Structures are given as structure tokens and as C-alpha cells.
């Protein structure tokens, strides 16, 4: 599990349903678990959110995970002998081994409930910590704009503390945003870690030289970094690196984060220190949040639940006034 991440490891697991082994499209063996949606969700929800989180947050997570399960069918793994993978690419699924009574109860309490925006099943994506403002989907992935996935504040609009950010996060207020620790719903969550809410990442000259030599050898030594555009949630949509040999432009939030060895989010301000040769000696990112920030903020959901919000209102907030519908009544968990 966790292949490609620092927490990669191995463990024994048990699964509901059936397991079969088949030759995959790459001529390797694929081990496939066949199970009902609710049985799968019982292994997904505790793998994606703390099982000790507030009940209403767990219910919101169960509905969002169910939406992802159905909205991704036929959209991924076209050449594989399965519909969805068990990793972060789709949703993390740990089988019976990861199941917990609290998360299973949340799945059962929301059996068959899904979100629709008008006639459309919501692609209810979520991430750990929005940092106080979510983002438009197209600004992160370049996908067509989704009316259910709009940038939304994660704070009470009437609070005077947030008046400078009422119209969103932009170049004029980004420094104030990332240097403060405002009482957003995700910041108020009992599970919130300070290093996920506000963070700093610095690259010195040697680290920058290695990074550019590996990922952008045509740039040379870095002279400047320019932010080209931000989304209303503050995520950087374009970055221009100008060096002694050339220029490289990086578009969209995820490629930018990956280029700089997995920044925690795309909401950041940049500081540069130059040396006598007019090249960058130190590059510092001061950022907010952890994850892409589109859709539901998981820490924000916990913070809202802990302040009395039911799961229906949590979901309606993060998914643009989408509505809950009962798709089916029976559960494979029964």
C-alpha cells in the first residue's frame, strides 16, 4: 500500500466479497476484489478520514465517497481488469482490516444516499485541508468547470475577521492570508494539525540547482519566479521560472506542487533571496492548506460538524447547493 509515497509498506488484509486473480493488460497478475458498493465504502471511509471524527462528518464523508465510487465508474482504468483501484488515485480502500464501528455506522446511516446537482451525479471530490477557501476544479486540473465544484469560503461570512477575504484570495491579500491563522472551520477542527493549515517550505541554492537540473535542465540557474494567475481560492494556476539559459512555464496546481517535490498545496506566497550573481539563492513558499482544495474540505467538515452542522448542510455547502437523493435502500453490509 502507499506505493510512491513515504508511507509505503506491506500488511495482511481481509476483504468482503470475492477475490479472483487475472492477467492484466501489462501481462502481470491483478488481484481483484468483487464486492457491493456499501461493503467497499465500509473499507474506504476509515481509510480516508479519522474513524474518531464527529458522526456528522463521517456521514458526509460516506456520501462523498459513495458519489466518487459511482461517478468514476467507466472514467478510469479502461484497460485494467477492474473498475477502480484501491489507492489514492481513486479512493483508498483497506477492506475489512480497516473497518471501524463508527465509520461502518456512518455508511449504514447513509445507505444509498448520493448527491445530485440538478440531473447530474456530483463528482464529490475532497481533500484534507483547504486552508480556509476551496477552489474551482478547472483551476486545479484543467477540467471543464463543474457547477458543484466552485471555490467557496470555509468561514462564517458575517465574521469581520474575514472581511478582507470576502471576494476570495488574490495577490493583494495572499500575504495576510498565509501569515495569519484565521478561525476557519478547518482551523477549528479538533483533528487539525497546525503544519497542515499553514506551512513554510524553503529551497536553498543547492537544492534549487538539483531540482532544475532534474526537471527543467533548459532553465539553467534560476533568476526569478513569477506567479501568472490565481484562482479565487488562492491556488496558483501558472508559474514562470526564468533562468540563465531559458524559461519554463508550469500550468495548473498539481503540476506546480509536484515540480517542487510535492508542496502541501497550491495556495502560497513566494519569497526569493538573490545572490551577487543575480540568481536565486533561496526560494521560500509560505502556504495554506494540504491537498488540492476542490470540493469538500475534510477538516472543514469536522469543524462544521463539531459546531452543530448536520451532514446534509455540510455537503450542500461544499458541493454548491447539491441535494441528497436516495438511490437505493438495501445494503451489502446487512
Amino acid at each position: 500500500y502507499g506505493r510512491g509515497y513515504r508511507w509505503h509498506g506491506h500488511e495482511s488484509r481481509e476483504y468482503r466479497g470475492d477475490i479472483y486473480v487475472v492477467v492484466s493488460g501489462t501481462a502481470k497478475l491483478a488481484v481483484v476484489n468483487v464486492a457491493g458498493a456499501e461493503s467497499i465504502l465500509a473499507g474506504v471511509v476509515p481509510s480516508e478520514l479519522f474513524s474518531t471524527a464527529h458522526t456528522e462528518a463521517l456521514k458526509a464523508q460516506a456520501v462523498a465517497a459513495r458519489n466518487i465510487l459511482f461517478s468514476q465508474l467507466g472514467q478510469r482504468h479502461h484497460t485494467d481488469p477492474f473498475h477502480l483501484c484501491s489507492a489514492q488515485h481513486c479512493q483508498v480502500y483497506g477492506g475489512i482490516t480497516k473497518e471501524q464501528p463508527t465509520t461502518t455506522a456512518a455508511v449504514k446511516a447513509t445507505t444509498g444516499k448520493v448527491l445530485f446537482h440538478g440531473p447530474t451525479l456530483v463528482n464529490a471530490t475532497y481533500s484534507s485541508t483547504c486552508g480556509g477557501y476551496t477552489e474551482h476544479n478547472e483551476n486545479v486540473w484543467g477540467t471543464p468547470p463543474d457547477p458543484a465544484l466552485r471555490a467557496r469560503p470555509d468561514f462564517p461570512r458575517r465574521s469581520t475577521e474575514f472581511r478582507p477575504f470576502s471576494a476570495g484570495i488574490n495577490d493583494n491579500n495572499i500575504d495576510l492570508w498565509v501569515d495569519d491563522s484565521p478561525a476557519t472551520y478547518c482551523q477549528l477542527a479538533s483533528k487539525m494539525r497546525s503544519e497542515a493549515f499553514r506551512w513554510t517550505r524553503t529551497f536553498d541554492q543547492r537544492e534549487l540547482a538539483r531540482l532544475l537540473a532534474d526537471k527543467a535542465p533548459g532553465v539553467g540557474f534560476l533568476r526569478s519566479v513569477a506567479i501568472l494567475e490565481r484562482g479565487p481560492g488562492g491556488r496558483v494556476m501558472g508559474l514562470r521560472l526564468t533562468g540563465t539559459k531559458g524559461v519554463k512555464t508550469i500550468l495548473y496546481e498539481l503540476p506546480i506542487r509536484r515540480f517542487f517535490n510535492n508542496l502541501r498545496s497550491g495556495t502560497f506566497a513566494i519569497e526569493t533571496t538573490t545572490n551577487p550573481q543575480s540568481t536565486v539563492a533561496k526560494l521560500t513558499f509560505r502556504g495554506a492548506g494540504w491537498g488540492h482544495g476542490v470540493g469538500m474540505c475534510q477538516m472543514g467538515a469536522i469543524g462544521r460538524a463539531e459546531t452543530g452542522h448536520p451532514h446534509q448542510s455540510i455537503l450542500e455547502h461544499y458541493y454548491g447547493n447539491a441535494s441528497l437523493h436516495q438511490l437505493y435502500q438495501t445494503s451489502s453490509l446487512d
Side-chain angles (χ1 to χ4, degrees):
Y1 64 91
R3 181 172 295 180
Y5 294 91
R6 59 180 175 80
W7 58 83
H8 172 70
H10 299 81
E11 66 183 7
S12 297
R13 290 183 179 178
E14 297 180 11
Y15 296 90
R16 296 176 182 271
D18 298 323
I19 288 179
Y20 67 87
V21 180
V22 64
V23 178
S24 71
T26 58
K28 296 182 178 180
L29 293 180
V31 183
V32 183
N33 180 206
V34 183
E38 302 302 302
S39 295
I40 293 172
L41 291 169
V44 167
V45 176
S47 300
E48 290 284 3
L49 191 64
F50 302 102
S51 63
T52 54
H54 192 285
T55 299
E56 294 303 305
L58 291 177
K59 290 178 182 177
Q61 179 66 64
V63 173
R66 187 177 292 108
N67 267 72
I68 292 292
L69 195 69
F70 291 134
S71 64
Q72 289 185 349
L73 288 176
Q75 303 299 313
R76 300 187 175 194
H77 297 287
H78 294 133
T79 61
D80 291 314
F82 47 83
H83 292 130
L84 301 168
C85 68
S86 60
Q88 195 174 34
H89 175 252
C90 294
Q91 287 185 113
V92 179
Y93 169 55
I96 295 174
T97 313
K98 297 298 182 183
E99 290 181 17
Q100 297 293 329
T102 53
T103 50
T104 298
V107 173
K108 288 183 174 180
T110 62
T111 296
K113 288 186 177 180
V114 293
L115 286 166
F116 278 86
H117 191 279
T120 305
L121 184 70
V122 175
N123 179 24
T125 185
Y126 51 85
S127 64
S128 170
T129 307
C130 68
Y133 223 109
T134 67
E135 189 57 85
H136 291 344
N137 67 288
E138 65 271 23
N139 295 345
V140 173
W141 299 304
T143 50
D146 187 329
L149 301 176
R150 301 293 82 197
R152 301 178 73 81
D154 198 33
F155 50 78
R157 282 188 178 275
R158 296 179 183 178
S159 174
T160 57
E161 178 186 7
F162 297 102
R163 192 167 294 162
F165 315 108
S166 59
I169 313 302
N170 53 52
D171 287 335
N172 295 324
N173 61 23
I174 184 64
D175 289 304
L176 180 62
W177 183 246
V178 299
D179 289 342
D180 196 7
S181 185
T184 66
Y185 283 108
C186 53
Q187 196 273 341
L188 294 172
S190 61
K191 304 292 185 182
M192 187 70 250
R193 293 185 297 166
S194 58
E195 66 270 21
F197 187 66
R198 293 292 184 269
W199 51 269
T200 300
R201 180 88 173 269
T202 298
F203 295 84
D204 62 26
Q205 189 168 12
R206 182 176 298 178
E207 291 170 317
L208 283 173
R210 284 200 301 262
L211 187 148
L212 291 170
D214 179 44
K215 299 183 178 182
V219 170
F221 293 105
L222 190 63
R223 289 194 181 278
S224 66
V225 182
I227 293 173
L228 303 181
E229 189 176 1
R230 290 184 188 274
R235 274 76 184 171
V236 174
M237 299 163 56
L239 206 61
R240 179 180 294 125
L241 310 178
T242 302
T244 54
K245 295 181 179 179
V247 176
K248 182 176 178 62
T249 299
I250 314 168
L251 300 179
Y252 301 118
E253 195 255 16
L254 185 56
I256 291 170
R257 288 170 57 197
R258 286 178 172 170
F259 185 90
F260 288 98
N261 296 339
N262 297 318
L263 297 175
R264 289 187 169 173
S265 84
T267 303
F268 54 74
I270 292 177
E271 293 179 359
T272 58
T273 301
T274 57
N275 56 29
Q277 293 74 40
S278 297
T279 59
V280 176
K282 186 168 70 172
L283 176 64
T284 299
F285 296 88
R286 299 179 353 265
W290 194 340
H292 53 69
V294 178
M296 186 174 73
C297 172
Q298 292 173 299
M299 288 300 106
I302 293 174
R304 288 173 182 273
E306 290 173 342
T307 53
H309 295 227
H311 70 280
Q312 294 95 327
S313 69
I314 293 171
L315 293 165
E316 288 169 1
H317 170 77
Y318 288 116
Y319 299 112
N321 297 315
S323 56
L324 274 175
H325 293 265
Q326 190 79 43
L327 198 62
Y328 51 84
Q329 300 280 353
T330 58
S331 171
S332 55
L333 282 172
D334 295 335

